Amino acid sequence: MDRRLELLGAPGSPYTRKMLALLRYRHIPHNIIWTGMDKPLPDYPEPKVKLLPTFYFYDDHGNKEAVVDSTPIIRRLEDMHQPRSVIPDNEALRFIDLLIEDFADEWLTKAMFHYRWAFEADATNAGPLLVYWGRPQMPAQDAQKLADSFSQRQIDRLYVVGSNAVTAQTIEESYVRLLGILDRRIAASGFILGGRPGSADFALYGQLTQLAIIEPTSAKLAAKHSPRLRAWIDRVDDLSGYDQAPWLADNELSQLNELLQEIGRVYAPVLIANGTALAKGRDMFEAEIDGRPWQQPVFAYQAKCLMALRAAYFALSQDARKTVDGALANTGCEALFAGEN
């Protein structure tokens, strides 16, 4: 507890931005190490899977361990630091917070990747930024070559997250709808789950730091549809001086209906189809999302997300599950838990 927490990240990583804002809000002392592109860090362990941000915790013997995956890291930090929690005490709301966080991390990132690399103007904008964020002193000519090479690799990988000619309209329409939904939520209570930020707020914020600020095409849409949301992102960047206020009560969960309907409309069908395809040993999956076909490679990590959500749901107490069922009814989200136990 007497050591400052260290993490490796990059400004262009929505998950890095998610965690930095959360650390500021929670008053957790930390040092951010800005990464160079594939530049090794001496004397720091490497995680099994290289993802950003990478957190460096200390084990029982005082040795550094490299840890990735923001959602479990947030819960680990809850055990290490008690004040200014971002996890609701209320059991039902805690589950809904997890569901919304998962949606932001795993669905909204499809929009982030799509808008960053599917349009020429956006890719041209992003490439040099990603280089200079890591290596600000690199000569311009070398930086442009590296940017061109990195950009092409990312464009070639668009299909991995589900961005393609078949799915583009579904991704783009969902993003625009979400801008309006979040605008109305913030207008009503300031944050998604009431008067204080939860892990879901920081997850949404992380993706929006890219979509609403960095990528020209999606940033224009954010400015057009919700100046309120664009301003909210700037505030959430540093909530260290924000006083806590109440979460939503059980009888107020209907306020989340519009957001839960969006999750059930686009993300739940993807999770279910992906999980089914993986269980059958398939490399690709197809689904109908929002009345249109969806196709992409099977994503093993999102199958783990579905299993984690189901485990959390079936671990709920009887009363909490009844409350959650009421909140999810007729949103499409209930299909995630139908017929499972």
Side-chain angles (χ1 to χ4, degrees), residues 18-264:
K18 168 187 177 181
M19 295 306 294
L20 280 175
L22 182 142
L23 292 171
R24 295 187 193 107
Y25 170 69
R26 297 208 58 212
H27 297 172
I28 298 176
H30 62 277
N31 292 332
I32 175 71
I33 305 166
W34 295 122
T35 181
M37 295 178 68
D38 303 322
K39 186 177 180 180
L41 275 178
D43 303 323
Y44 281 79
E46 291 190 357
K48 293 179 180 179
V49 180
K50 292 184 178 181
L51 296 173
L52 295 178
T54 299
F55 275 67
Y56 300 101
F57 293 103
Y58 286 87
D59 63 21
D60 293 338
H61 303 287
N63 301 313
K64 285 181 183 176
E65 57 173 343
V67 180
V68 298
D69 197 340
S70 62
T71 297
I73 288 173
I74 289 174
R75 277 74 190 167
R76 182 170 180 169
L77 291 172
E78 289 284 320
D79 293 333
M80 295 171 61
H81 302 269
Q82 302 306 316
R84 297 173 68 83
S85 172
V86 297
I87 304 298
D89 294 328
N90 179 284
E91 189 181 1
L93 190 62
R94 183 163 64 244
F95 174 81
I96 292 173
D97 178 51
L98 177 66
L99 174 60
I100 298 171
E101 180 185 3
D102 193 67
F103 163 77
D105 283 347
E106 302 299 326
W107 172 265
L108 193 52
T109 197
K110 295 180 187 295
M112 192 282 293
F113 203 84
H114 172 76
Y115 279 109
R116 177 165 287 179
W117 301 115
F119 302 95
E120 183 177 357
D122 296 79
T124 299
N125 173 71
L129 287 176
L130 290 165
V131 174
Y132 288 130
W133 275 326
R135 303 181 186 178
Q137 292 178 292
M138 179 174 282
Q141 187 173 1
D142 295 339
Q144 191 59 57
K145 288 180 180 178
L146 186 56
D148 291 343
S149 174
F150 182 76
S151 296
Q152 191 57 55
R153 290 202 305 271
Q154 297 301 96
I155 292 168
D156 291 343
R157 295 184 71 253
L158 274 168
Y159 74 97
V160 175
V161 299
S163 169
N164 53 58
V166 176
T167 64
Q169 184 178 354
T170 300
I171 292 171
E172 292 167 16
E173 290 186 1
S174 177
Y175 171 64
V176 172
R177 285 196 304 271
L178 186 63
L179 292 174
I181 292 168
L182 296 180
D183 182 280
R184 291 183 285 276
R185 265 314 296 132
I186 292 164
S189 62
F191 297 98
I192 305 305
L193 304 179
R196 59 190 284 188
S199 61
D201 289 272
F202 291 105
L204 290 163
Y205 155 85
Q207 302 297 331
L208 290 168
T209 61
Q210 313 300 306
L211 282 160
I213 298 175
I214 294 169
E215 323 307 343
T217 301
S218 53
K220 288 180 181 177
L221 290 169
K224 174 184 177 181
H225 291 282
S226 182
R228 185 197 318 276
L229 181 62
R230 175 61 186 83
W232 181 83
I233 297 165
D234 292 330
R235 286 171 55 84
V236 176
D237 188 62
D238 191 341
L239 290 170
S240 58
Y242 184 78
D243 291 331
Q244 293 177 319
W247 304 105
L248 292 175
D250 282 352
N251 62 1
E252 297 174 310
L253 294 184
S254 61
Q255 294 181 32
L256 300 174
N257 184 261
E258 193 178 16
L259 178 54
L260 292 171
Q261 284 188 356
E262 184 63 24
I263 296 172

